[in-house]
Amino acid sequence: MLRHLVPARVERAGIRTGLRWKLSAAIALVGALVAVALSLVVHNAARVSMLDNARDLADERVQIAQRNYELSGRTNFPNIKIDDPRLPPELRKKVEEGRRATFVSDRAGGVPDIWAAVPVKKGQHVLSLHTGFTDRSTDILNDLDQALVIGSIAVVFGGSALGVLIGGQLSRRLRKAAAAANQVAKGEADVRVRDAIGGVVRDETDDLASAVDAMADALQQRLEAERRVTADIAHELRTPVTGLLTAAELLPPGRPTELVLDRAKAMRTLVEDVLEVARLDGASERAELQDILLGEFITRRVAAKDPEAEVRVVHESMVTTDPRRLERVLFNLLANAARHGKPPIQVTVEGRVIRVRDHGPGFPENLLADGPSRFRTGSSDRAGRGHGLGLTIAAGQARVLGARLTFRNVQPAGAPAHIPAEGAVAVLWLPEHAPTNTGSYPMLP
C-alpha cells in the first residue's frame, strides 16, 4: 500500500506544428523555386530571341545600305553612318579584319543597344547602323514578366492548397491512428488501429497501424502469460503459506514466535494481494451491485478501520455499487494515509465523491504523473515498508466499479512548486450509473 514510483517520462520541448502545414510549406517552397527558375529561363530565352531577331534585322539593313553606298554613294537608311566615332572597339576590330559583324551593348538602365557594321570602299571606311531595343519589344518583355509573376504566385498558392488538402487527409489518418494507439495504451485490448483509420487506399500509415496492432497483440499475449504465471505461483503458494501460519500458531509463546507469525501473516497478505492483482488484470471481475447510502456506509467502515480518522458527510446520496470492492478501496487508501502520511486523516463524502486526505509530505511526483505501479515502494524518504500493491489494488477495484481514482497534493496557497506539500488527497469518483462491464471508465463532467 505504498505510493509507488515509476520512471519519469521525459518530454521534449519544441514547437508543435501540423503535418498538413509542413507538407503545404514544402510544396509551396518547391513550387516557388520551380516557378522562379522557369520564369528566369523563359525571360532570358525570350530576351535572347528578341535580341537575335533585332541583330538579324540590323544585319540585313546594313547589307542593303552597303550595296546602295557602293553603287550610289548613299545609304538610303536612317541611323546609317560612315566611320561613326561611337562605334564599339570590339566591333571596329572585327570590321577592320574585313568581316561583317553585329554587336549588342547595354546602356544605363539595362536597355540594349544594337550595332551592325560592314567595311566599305575596300576596307577604307566603316559603314555602321546603330539602333536601340524597340519599345514594342520592351513592352512584350514587360507583359511576359508580369504574366510569369502572376503564374508563379498562382503556382505557389495552388501548391499550398494542394499541400493542405493532401496533408490534411494524411494528418487525419495519423490522428485517428494516434487516438486508437492511446486507447490501446490505456488497456482497451479490443481496439485495432488499422480499423480505426479506415480508408481504401493503402499507404505507409496502414503499415504503421498494422505494426502497432501486431505489437499490441504480442504485448497483450505476453502480459496475459505473465499474469497467468503470477496467478499460478501465488495460488500454489497459498497452501504452504497457510500451513506455515498454522504451524507458527502452534509454537510456544515468546518473541521468536511473534516474529515468525508476523512474517507469515505478511507473506499470506502478499500472496492474497498478488492473486487479487492477477484477477484484476485478467479483466474477469464483475461488480455485485447493491443500493447503499454512501455517507452512512463510509462512516461505519471508517469507524471500524481507523476510529481516529475524521469523517465528514457534506451531502448524502444513494449509490449503486459493490460494497465489498468499495470497502477494499477505502481501506487501502486509509492504510496508505496512515502509513505514509501524518494525522489527522480526514475522509469527506460529497455526493458520489469520496476524498481521503492526510497531512504528510504528499504523493511522489512520479505517482501523480503516471499513477500507482505495483511493487514500487515510496520515495527515498519513506520507510519502505510493505510490498507496493495497495494503491494498485485500489485503482483496479475502482475500475471494476466504473469509478475513477485520482491523486493530488495540497500546496500552501500561493506557494511555488518547490515548497513541500501540506498533505496528500486521494479522490474516488463513483459513476452516476452502475458499471456494466469490467474496466469501464466514467463519463465525468
Side-chain angles (χ1 to χ4, degrees):
M1 289 177 286
L2 300 174
R3 291 169 187 162
H4 321 294
L5 288 172
V6 296
R9 293 178 295 188
V10 179
E11 296 185 359
R12 298 180 179 177
I15 300 176
R16 180 180 176 87
T17 57
L19 180 62
R20 68 169 62 184
W21 303 116
K22 292 180 180 178
L23 187 59
S24 175
I27 293 178
L29 179 60
V30 172
L33 293 177
V34 172
V36 169
L38 289 178
S39 298
L40 293 175
V41 170
V42 171
H43 173 85
N44 290 331
R47 187 174 184 273
V48 169
S49 177
M50 290 180 179
L51 286 175
D52 289 342
N53 292 334
R55 293 173 71 171
D56 292 341
L57 180 60
D59 186 55
E60 291 177 1
R61 288 181 176 180
V62 81
Q63 291 183 61
I64 297 173
Q66 178 192 15
R67 288 194 295 268
N68 291 336
Y69 182 76
E70 293 284 355
L71 294 175
S72 62
R74 292 178 298 177
T75 59
N76 296 333
F77 273 108
N79 299 327
I80 295 290
K81 293 184 179 181
I82 302 297
D83 297 330
D84 189 348
R86 298 179 300 164
L87 193 67
E90 298 88 345
L91 183 59
R92 183 182 297 276
K93 182 178 179 181
K94 291 182 179 180
V95 174
E96 290 175 350
E97 295 173 356
R99 300 164 54 186
R100 188 181 76 251
T102 59
F103 185 79
V104 177
S105 62
D106 290 330
R107 293 199 304 255
V111 178
D113 279 339
I114 300 170
W115 295 82
V118 62
V120 293
K121 300 296 183 181
K122 298 181 180 181
Q124 298 177 4
H125 300 283
V126 177
L127 185 147
S128 63
L129 171 64
H130 178 209
T131 61
F133 212 45
T134 62
D135 294 338
R136 177 176 174 79
S137 298
T138 302
D139 293 340
I140 292 175
L141 275 181
N142 291 336
D143 292 341
L144 178 62
D145 291 342
Q146 184 177 2
L148 290 174
V149 170
I150 295 175
S152 300
I153 294 175
V155 168
V156 171
F157 279 101
S160 300
L162 181 63
V164 170
L165 180 63
I166 298 176
Q169 183 178 4
L170 180 59
S171 178
R172 192 180 310 112
R173 288 166 60 84
L174 289 175
R175 285 198 300 270
K176 290 181 180 179
N182 285 331
Q183 289 180 296
V184 173
K186 292 178 181 178
E188 300 183 27
D190 56 338
V191 176
R192 286 295 175 266
V193 180
R194 178 64 188 85
D195 297 336
I197 63 177
V200 178
V201 180
R202 294 183 59 85
D203 55 17
E204 288 78 0
T205 308
D206 298 86
D207 298 337
L208 175 62
S210 300
V212 173
D213 289 338
M215 180 183 66
D217 291 338
L219 182 60
Q220 185 66 27
Q221 293 174 3
R222 180 175 178 180
L223 291 176
E224 180 62 22
E226 292 180 354
R227 185 195 66 80
R228 288 197 301 268
V229 170
T230 302
D232 292 342
I233 293 175
H235 189 271
E236 292 298 326
L237 285 175
R238 294 181 70 180
T239 300
V241 168
T242 301
L244 177 63
L245 184 61
T246 302
E249 291 175 348
L250 299 178
L251 294 175
R255 181 58 180 169
T257 300
E258 293 178 0
L259 293 176
V260 171
L261 281 174
D262 179 70
R263 292 299 88 197
K265 291 178 180 179
M267 185 176 296
R268 182 179 63 180
T269 302
L270 173 60
V271 170
E272 296 296 334
D273 286 350
V274 170
L275 276 175
E276 186 171 358
V277 169
R279 288 194 299 267
L280 293 172
D281 287 345
S284 59
E285 296 291 284
R286 294 293 183 271
E288 299 178 3
L289 304 177
Q290 297 181 22
D291 293 333
I292 61 172
L293 285 173
L294 186 60
E296 178 185 347
F297 177 85
I298 296 299
T299 301
R300 288 189 286 106
R301 293 301 188 272
V302 171
K305 177 67 176 178
D306 187 359
E308 297 182 358
E310 303 175 8
V311 181
R312 185 165 67 98
V313 180
V314 178
H315 175 65
E316 181 66 278
S317 63
M318 178 72 72
V319 298
T320 302
T321 188
D322 186 330
R324 181 182 65 84
R325 297 183 188 277
L326 178 59
E327 179 184 84
R328 178 68 161 148
V329 175
L330 178 65
F331 282 3
N332 281 15
L333 295 179
L334 288 173
N336 191 73
R339 177 173 294 171
H340 300 295
K342 294 180 180 179
I345 298 174
Q346 300 170 335
V347 181
T348 305
V349 180
E350 186 175 356
R352 299 175 180 275
V353 181
I354 305 168
R355 295 180 176 86
V356 178
R357 178 188 176 180
D358 62 58
H359 290 73
F363 292 110
E365 292 298 327
N366 291 336
L367 184 144
L368 297 177
D370 301 313
S373 180
R374 68 195 64 178
F375 295 110
R376 298 279 184 172
T377 58
S379 57
S380 58
D381 60 340
R382 304 298 184 91
R385 299 184 304 273
H387 45 74
L389 292 177
L391 292 185
T392 302
I393 293 174
Q397 295 289 8
R399 283 195 299 271
V400 177
L401 295 176
R404 185 177 65 175
L405 183 60
T406 62
F407 306 92
R408 66 180 178 88
N409 289 335
V410 180
Q411 295 288 136
H418 66 275
I419 298 299
E422 292 183 342
V425 181
V427 185
L428 181 66
W429 311 73
L430 293 176
E432 183 176 357
H433 302 287
T436 57
N437 54 30
T438 300
S440 61
Y441 289 88
M443 301 299 293
L444 296 177

